Amino acid sequence: ARMAQKFRLPHNDYWTFRTETSAKSLFEWYDREREVALAKGVCKDMDNITDGRRVRSLYPHSDFQGEIVEGIVVRYVPYSKQFQNATAFNNTSDGADVVMEEAEGVANDHVNAGQVMDQLAIESERILDLVPPERPPSFVIFSSAKKDEEINSLDHSKNAVLTTDVRELYSKNTGNDEVIENALRSVLTETDGQRRTIHRLGKSKGQDTRGKKNAVDVPGLVNELLLANSNESANGQIIFDTETIRIANLIQTLHSMNRSIEFKLLKEEMIPTAAKKNGGKKVSNTTRWLCIIHVMRDSVFPQYMKKMDVKKDMMLYRGFCVQMMLNGDEDIESPEYCRDTTTDTTVGDDGPPLMLKMKFLPYMVRTFGCRNGLKILEQKGVLGFEQYATNLLMKWDMSSTAINTWRPFFSSWGSYANEMLQQNGNQRRKEGGGKGIMTKNEDLPPLTAQNYLHHLERFNKLFEEGKIGSNNCNAQSKNPCDFRGAVIVVSLNKEDASVAADLLSASLGGCRRSSNVNGISEDDMHLAMSPVDGGLVVDAVVEDGFGALRKHCKKFEDAIHVVLVGCDDEVIDASIDISMRDKKKQKGMLKGWRKCKCKTVVDMPQSCFSTASVGKDESCDGDVDKDPSSLSESGSEELPALVKKLITLSGSLPKADERPGALLFFPGIPGSGKSTLCGAVSTESLCAKLDQMDAHMNDDGKISLSKKEGANEKTGESNSNFDRPVIVRVGDAVKEKYWPLVKRERLEHKPSLYVADKNSTPTVWNTIAEVCAESRGVFAPVLPDSAALSTTTLMFAASADGSYKREYVFPFSLQYLAVCLSRVLQRPQKSHRGKLDAATDNACMIVVKFFCLYKGLTADRVKETCEDMANEAGTVQIGSDTFFITVPFFVDNSPRDLPKDLHDALVDAIQLQCKVDSGGQADGAPIMSEIETRLRSLITSHLDMLQALTVSKEASCESFLSQIVSLTNSLDSYDISGESKVASLPKIKIVSIDVNATDVHHTLKDAAASDSSIAEFLDKGGKFDPSSIDADEKKTARYIKDTHVTMVHCSRSSQHEMRQRFGSLEGSELDVVVNGFLFNDEIAALSVEIPGKTLGNQSLDVPPSENEFAHITVWCGDGVEAVKSNSLPSMVEKGLAKKVNFQNRVSLHGVLRFWLTE
């Protein structure tokens, strides 16, 4: 901040919060305002709640960037030496910085820090007085004050940098980055007389790009540098300075994480345009190699923080640039780094401060919805974009009020942007693909992610004025379309057919359009039958023929209509553009069209579709067509009558079931147990599971998915009604292409629970997401537990001499791979449909090949990629997260290490497969045969050990079916009204082990018999009567009615993490062990031990509680909340509470449940 003030550079506004009270107020304010916050309001509110001073930005956000502000960056900075360095405050966001200082134990450096902030605040006020925001920019001052002697004496009026309006320069060349870049370089050249050239050597995203044109392996260069440094250091020599090593270590760490990191290498040359003098010396040419490092994802930061050593490693920033020093004219492909022994850089002992980025909804809507959604809009159309936007709002955990407020905005933006994107395409076609074409009647650039703000500004104006939106002439109805089915509009020429089809599509409420009648697929017909997707209108000419259409009429006869426009014999005979032979051909083909076995064939005169009858609504801004309903006011009644007839006929079609369904798929490898799980899924098994489980939400806000008392797990007829189709499609049994078949069946049975029994590698995840989006399905990956889905990192030699090594990551553990190999080899010979069993010559290496198909993905990245693809495709989402199903695989969370010989064999097999995949092992077959034999022998010798690692098939199937029941219940609660696409199932508040309150009180009474202090406590606490207690009452002393052990609270874990860790345990029974009682006059709790396994024959691992103090809150005093029980152990240490250890420990029966928010 001090540097920014000195050089008049932009920086954020800063506020300090120096007490717990003010800090709490900050977070309460954010929770209250995050959905509506704008710049001016944010600054005003922050001024009111801070108890420190404000360091004002020299460029106020509302004046220079507008009212939409990204958010606030909250930094918790304890008093330390960091405070003495004013550069600790970095400008890392488009928003405001707030700093929370520790209030206790104030030291001198803390006082100094406060003084520094106060000084910066005073200076910011002084600078704003000198240079107020309303002061004109320099180029205006210099151009309008030519007679000002003071300004002219500074001789700045000739400085091109100070006299150039960069905004004007940009606006004149919008859409052409090369022109803008050249213009900026010209300004700089005019100023300092040096011409700049920049050569880009391409981008490297952590991949080995050697040998590829214009690509540089930056991580590879860094590895060579660190290797050289390590070798020299072993000899006692220091060849690289500390800062170079820190930067190199950072790049290597980022590369090892295999996350979204971009390395861009630039060569910058500055060449004097003339013999320019500088202090009497001629300026020489200068060259710099620059590497720009760009962190693409927020999730990289916490992962890096886990790996870094805060005492010596470099902090990570969103993007930064490092200069690469080379010796002489050495080429970057084989660099010799400058061995500069500069002064050692010391690093403080204090760790990095906690930083939270807290964003505001208006900014998120603009950036992630309107801008990033353009890609979705181009791929999926308006409906796909709306689903994508709704998913975003749900993922961000926005209130129902915010969701209902923004959905009309997104719907209208989708319609507007879709029209603009179509204009872009039409203009490019007309102009031969040229860039920089303006939209019709508007001085706006084409709508792109770079230029979207120009359009968004125009759109906001129209939307606020009511000229665009759901209640005006430009809105395309997004309610379910009145028409379902397909209309084929046939004419003698393509132009007439297209005009008629466009008008008919609009008249029917905005049906989808196509111009390829012979390209209509069965998928298209299924979509046309859906009221959500609004029918289909296709234009065609007579000569296109109806052969391709005939096959669809066999299945969709009642949903297909043919409209012949201007196709009577008189029109054909009157035509002078075609020969008699062609006229005869047209008449013959028309007879075929009229005999088409569809619902209706209608002849309409061309005059009904004359463009003259389609007027413009002058009340709207721009070229906006009239509402199709106004067509009845035109001269002809035939078109409205046709529209009415088509809608009436489509109403007689069977009502489509538009409930969302789910597509379960398996990112895994052969032998993972996929087919066993799929074999357990059927309508009967799910009905039986429903009979065993209570699957509804109780009045107390808990989800009851627990075993019913007396439920028979093996016999008895089901009483449940599972009213969804259950489709289990075995990949090895399918003769045609698998995923097109899945898409077709999902479109035909949208509410279905579809289980894809096929190993789904990363290459098909996007296809699966697309299928889910088009068929209104939940994207549901089925993954093994965290012990199996655990990142494996291996280092392999990447050079012949082994001096250069590369790191490879895989998302599955080697134990998982070994077990899968053993299962494949245990299959009887020639028993497997896919011909992968003990009789397959290279069975082991096939499994290893599948393992290597996930190369480059970490365990976390698998989940992130699935979530990204689901969001981008616009799939149906239940709650705020992707619905992962996690199936138990290993008995223990940390399975034992593999024997060394088996471990080494697996590593060798993976290394060989990676070489073969990269084309670096041409003679791989003989070596593969050797490794195959070696693997088979070792798997056989260690078979008993491997089998002991995993849970039983019954346990996995039990968990799998339970989670499917949970998924289907969530689907049943999904609102498909069209007003709101938000699932009504609330988010998880806590995961708990619920125990009976009466059992808890009996435990206390038994303990009181042997301890007088407990007896005295019970006397003061009053009589325990669960039936008379209001569990929500917090003002009076009371016993807790809903006694439980909290395993995790939503404030400490994401919804996804809670479901992942505890989803398979929901409803499981287990016993907790009570070992003591802690209490004082305000709060009381039983301390407990949580078992590592659930009860029952198929016991499952229980993750530890996230609370350091596992307990059951028993009693609260007047005005005391139950959360205070977490502090009982520390109060005992300070003598503020008492603890009684139980000599005889007591077991309490409990059930693991989810508590849901209301």
Side-chain angles (χ1 to χ4, degrees), residues 188-201:
L188 294 173
T189 302
E190 184 180 346
T191 301
D192 62 11
Q194 298 192 84
R195 185 177 73 251
R196 294 160 177 78
T197 60
I198 297 178
H199 306 285
R200 291 184 175 87
L201 275 73

Side-chain angles (χ1 to χ4, degrees), residues 486-506:
V487 181
I488 315 301
V489 179
V490 184
S491 187
L492 298 176
N493 64 75
K494 194 67 173 177
E495 183 178 356
D496 289 344
S498 179
V499 169
D502 286 342
L503 185 55
L504 187 58
S505 172

Side-chain angles (χ1 to χ4, degrees), residues 221 224 324-327 330-337:
L221 298 177
E224 294 174 7
M324 304 181 74
M325 308 292 291
L326 308 179
N327 275 334
E330 292 295 330
D331 187 83
I332 191 67
E333 294 287 343
S334 56
E336 289 292 335
Y337 288 84

Side-chain angles (χ1 to χ4, degrees), residues 111-127:
V111 175
N112 291 339
Q115 292 175 351
V116 169
M117 292 299 294
D118 290 344
Q119 292 168 2
L120 291 172
I122 295 171
E123 179 65 7
S124 70
E125 298 281 0
R126 187 186 72 83
I127 295 175

Side-chain angles (χ1 to χ4, degrees), residues 224-289:
E224 294 174 7
L225 182 150
L226 291 174
L227 180 64
N229 186 72
S230 176
N231 293 338
E232 294 295 335
S233 297
N235 299 327
Q237 300 182 26
I238 299 176
I239 60 172
F240 296 111
D241 63 276
T242 303
E243 194 65 16
T244 294
I245 298 303
R246 292 178 71 211
I247 295 172
N249 282 330
L250 178 139
I251 294 175
Q252 187 180 65
T253 301
L254 291 176
H255 177 52
S256 69
M257 291 165 58
N258 205 55
R259 307 303 286 271
S260 298
I261 314 294
E262 181 179 276
F263 304 94
K264 184 190 296 182
L265 203 65
L266 306 174
K267 183 180 181 181
E268 179 191 71
E269 294 180 300
M270 298 181 67
I271 306 169
T273 57
K276 185 176 178 65
K277 300 292 184 178
N278 183 8
K281 297 181 180 180
K282 185 176 181 179
V283 179
S284 59
N285 296 7
T286 57
T287 300
R288 294 195 302 171
W289 290 97

Side-chain angles (χ1 to χ4, degrees), residues 170 174-175 177 371 374 445-455:
Y170 180 83
T174 299
D177 294 340
R371 184 192 69 185
L374 292 177
L447 176 58
T448 65
Q450 290 73 35
N451 300 322
Y452 81 105
L453 285 176
H454 298 279
H455 286 269

Side-chain angles (χ1 to χ4, degrees), residues 75-90:
R75 307 167 191 269
Y76 173 74
V77 186
Y79 57 88
S80 67
K81 295 179 181 178
Q82 293 183 49
F83 273 103
Q84 297 182 24
N85 184 357
T87 63
F89 302 99
N90 299 305

Side-chain angles (χ1 to χ4, degrees), residues 891-908:
V891 172
D892 297 319
N893 288 329
S894 300
R896 59 176 291 189
D897 292 338
L898 295 175
K900 187 176 186 305
D901 54 356
L902 178 56
H903 175 277
D904 292 346
L906 291 174
V907 172
D908 290 345

